[in-house]
Amino acid sequence: MGDTAAAAPAEQRRRAGRGKGRRTFWRYRWLYLFMIPGILYYLIYHYIPMFGLVVAFQDYNLLKGITGSPWVGLDNFRTVFSSPDFPVLMKNTILLSVYRIVFNMLPDLILALMLNEIRVRWFKKWVQTLTYGPHFLSWIIVYGLVFAFFAPGSGLVTTFMRDMGWTPIDVLTNSSVFRPMLILTDIWKSTGYGAIIYLAALANINQELYEAAAIDGAGRWRQLWNITLPGIREVFVLLLILRLGHILDAGFEQVYIFLNVRVYDVGDILDTWIFRRGIEQMQFSVPAAVGVFKSLIGLVLVLGANKIAKKMGGSGIW
């Protein structure tokens, strides 16, 4: 009798929980319906293709397919790590990625802080539009603009400097300025778009904090240091963690378009090497092994950065 009496309330709680779950699902049914396209996107284009990772452990033949290609174990990884090009590729990839993290995140943050301080609405919108516009240009168009200004012998800036008797700046084929040129063009193209995230975070800061600080005599700089920056710290850490996860993705589209044989020593990265081996030379297994290696490195960095962020008092990604 005692066991039956104790089990009755437990069964009632389970039934109440199931009933509450059904009511919650029915209440938010339209929101769940809107989630279906996003779930299908990630399922079709991100999770199902993961079965193709087995190619990294095969001597893949396009005609035989995955099921008919012979297994070679870790031979493809040995080919990658023993390649004389691998140290140079890793160095270029990591350097470009670190440069992007350091020099791209700060302009985004600074632009957002500057826009947040502008009180003239029409001027603020004008600056936002002007800085956000380059984001919609493809890298082909950006390369065309750079080539039009800095092409050796025929660029506008090159011709002007030569006519003035100055030494022209060769930014496209000079190894010493190729990386800075990549970073500067990336900053010009992406800063306006990157500032939007920080502007959204700034809009969520309680304005009463600024009013209280002003009453206490705090100036704009003190409010910036004690209210604004702490208010967007979590967003900054989140974006930093996400960028660390892609540290071996140094911007294939931009680098591939700007790359030429004279700057291979400083501009050739893992993704461009993968493209040449996988697409141009039709060798799919070795590039697949590089893809697995990049994914593992990114996973380790994201997990480590997330753990460090939580130990420092942040919320991390999860």
Side-chain angles (χ1 to χ4, degrees), residues 7 68 88 97 126 134 186 285 307:
V88 178
S97 296
W126 182 80
D186 192 32
S285 297
K307 188 173 183 180

Side-chain angles (χ1 to χ4, degrees), residues 1-154:
M1 293 293 293
D3 294 340
T4 304
E11 180 64 24
Q12 292 176 359
R13 288 194 297 269
R14 283 194 292 269
R15 290 180 179 177
R18 288 194 294 268
K20 184 178 180 181
R22 294 191 191 99
R23 290 192 298 270
T24 302
F25 176 81
W26 184 252
R27 179 181 179 184
Y28 297 106
R29 61 189 183 279
W30 298 113
L31 295 179
Y32 293 135
L33 183 63
F34 290 144
M35 291 173 59
I36 292 178
I39 294 175
L40 290 177
Y41 167 78
Y42 280 98
L43 182 65
I44 295 173
Y45 294 103
H46 291 267
Y47 286 97
I48 293 179
M50 290 181 67
F51 292 103
L53 293 177
V54 297
V55 173
F57 305 93
Q58 294 179 324
D59 183 11
Y60 181 74
N61 187 293
L62 189 61
L63 298 178
K64 296 179 180 179
I66 294 178
T67 56
S69 299
W71 292 86
V72 296
L74 299 177
D75 287 352
N76 293 321
F77 293 90
R78 296 189 185 98
T79 301
V80 173
F81 298 142
S82 61
S83 172
D85 297 328
F86 183 74
V88 178
L89 295 172
M90 281 294 296
K91 176 184 176 182
N92 294 338
T93 302
I94 293 176
L95 281 177
L96 282 175
S97 296
V98 171
Y99 290 160
R100 290 178 189 276
I101 292 174
V102 174
F103 297 108
N104 279 28
M105 293 190 68
L106 291 180
D108 296 350
L109 177 60
I110 293 172
L111 177 61
L113 294 175
M114 293 173 62
L115 290 174
N116 189 58
E117 296 297 322
I118 297 177
R119 295 296 178 260
V120 182
R121 295 181 61 86
W122 67 266
F123 182 71
K124 181 177 180 179
K125 292 182 178 180
W126 182 80
V127 174
Q128 281 185 280
T129 303
L130 188 64
T131 56
Y132 186 55
H135 170 73
F136 297 98
L137 300 178
S138 68
W139 280 115
I140 292 292
I141 296 177
V142 175
Y143 175 78
L145 293 173
V146 175
F147 188 84
F149 282 97
F150 296 100
S154 60

Side-chain angles (χ1 to χ4, degrees), residues 236-256:
F236 184 85
V237 173
L238 173 63
L239 294 177
L240 178 60
I241 293 175
L242 294 176
R243 284 179 178 252
L244 286 175
H246 294 276
I247 196 168
L248 294 184
D249 297 326
F252 164 74
E253 184 179 358
Q254 180 196 17
V255 176
Y256 182 75

Side-chain angles (χ1 to χ4, degrees), residues 221-233:
W221 285 105
R222 181 63 63 180
Q223 294 177 27
L224 173 68
W225 186 259
N226 293 316
I227 300 176
T228 305
L229 293 181
I232 61 176
R233 181 182 58 185

